[in-house]
Amino acid sequence: MTYEEIKANSAINTYITRADESLVALGFTEHSFAHVTRVAETAGYILSELGYSEHDVELAKIAGYMHDLGNLVNRIDHSQSGAVMAFRILDNMNMPPEDIATIVTAIGNHDEGTGVPVNAVSAALILADKSDVRRSRVRNSDISAFDIHDRVNYSVKKSKLKINEEHTIVKLKLEIDTRYGSIMDYFEIFLGRMVMCRKAAEKLGLQFRLIINEQQLI
């Protein structure tokens, strides 16, 4: 089972679309194909850069693409419901149980409320998901009506997750326009996510660094 096969699966893509429709109704930022594709590719980059097998890279990319399916059920506990959905889908596609287990574990542990980076794939998924902060995820076109999540995402002009050449540090570099959201705003809503990123990095033998406007904050 490959990442490209998962991306081409019409049922999975329908669930991603409908899950994002629910989040539109709730006023959340974009969680559709742009997000899940970016998360998949970033998770794959992390494990590939660290020398993991192509098979592990594929599993990370599949987990990244499918990680937000649970929003179809409810935003609350979406990591667990998404893991159950992924299990049923992948089992019906005859994926080997050991691969299903890895993907389901990663999806079920990606949210900061209850998630723990229990293996390399889950750690890569956490880092990839929590680093996707960008202006294009904001759907509200009325800046005067932004809530704090809109302000923070809209303020991020550039974001990049990069592992250094020595494979000792993973850096999340953000360029923030403080006219729309302050660095304090970022920490107010993302501190839990950054702590989770630190734990995920440690699982991969890395140190996590957060750099905002060229200043190292973590």
Side-chain angles (χ1 to χ4, degrees), residues 60-149:
K61 291 166 77 172
I62 291 170
Y65 195 76
M66 300 180 72
H67 80 281
D68 269 340
L69 290 180
N71 287 305
L72 182 69
V73 179
N74 197 293
R75 178 61 182 172
I76 297 172
D77 294 331
H78 75 281
S79 55
Q80 283 81 12
S81 55
V84 174
M85 289 178 65
F87 172 83
R88 183 180 185 278
I89 293 166
L90 297 175
D91 187 45
N92 286 342
M93 295 175 75
N94 296 315
M95 176 179 274
E98 59 270 24
D99 292 344
I100 294 176
T102 299
I103 292 167
V104 166
T105 296
I107 293 173
N109 279 281
H110 84 268
D111 191 62
E112 63 269 19
T114 55
V116 179
V118 294
N119 57 37
V121 172
S122 67
L125 175 56
I126 288 166
L127 284 166
D129 182 39
K130 305 314 172 192
S131 65
D132 187 19
V133 188
R134 51 188 161 83
R135 177 169 293 185
S136 57
R137 293 192 70 186
V138 178
R139 291 190 263 230
N140 187 351
S141 58
D142 182 2
I143 293 176
S144 66
F146 278 3
D147 64 12
I148 189 171
H149 290 84

Side-chain angles (χ1 to χ4, degrees), residues 92 143 157 159 176 205 209:
N92 286 342
I143 293 176
K157 297 164 63 178
S159 65
I176 288 180
R209 298 285 184 267

Side-chain angles (χ1 to χ4, degrees), residues 3-103:
Y3 170 57
E4 292 301 323
E5 287 178 284
I6 294 298
K7 283 180 66 179
N9 186 281
S10 60
I12 292 172
N13 289 333
T14 296
Y15 300 146
I16 291 171
T17 299
R18 295 295 297 273
D20 190 53
E21 288 175 4
S22 294
L23 295 183
V24 171
L26 293 170
F28 279 81
T29 52
E30 179 267 324
H31 284 72
S32 190
F33 295 104
H35 173 62
V36 299
T37 301
R38 178 163 173 162
V39 170
E41 297 293 342
T42 303
Y45 154 76
I46 291 167
L47 293 193
S48 178
E49 186 70 17
L50 294 176
Y52 284 82
S53 69
E54 282 298 317
H55 185 66
D56 286 338
V57 170
E58 284 290 291
L59 295 182
K61 291 166 77 172
I62 291 170
Y65 195 76
M66 300 180 72
H67 80 281
D68 269 340
L69 290 180
N71 287 305
L72 182 69
V73 179
N74 197 293
R75 178 61 182 172
I76 297 172
D77 294 331
H78 75 281
S79 55
Q80 283 81 12
S81 55
V84 174
M85 289 178 65
F87 172 83
R88 183 180 185 278
I89 293 166
L90 297 175
D91 187 45
N92 286 342
M93 295 175 75
N94 296 315
M95 176 179 274
E98 59 270 24
D99 292 344
I100 294 176
T102 299
I103 292 167

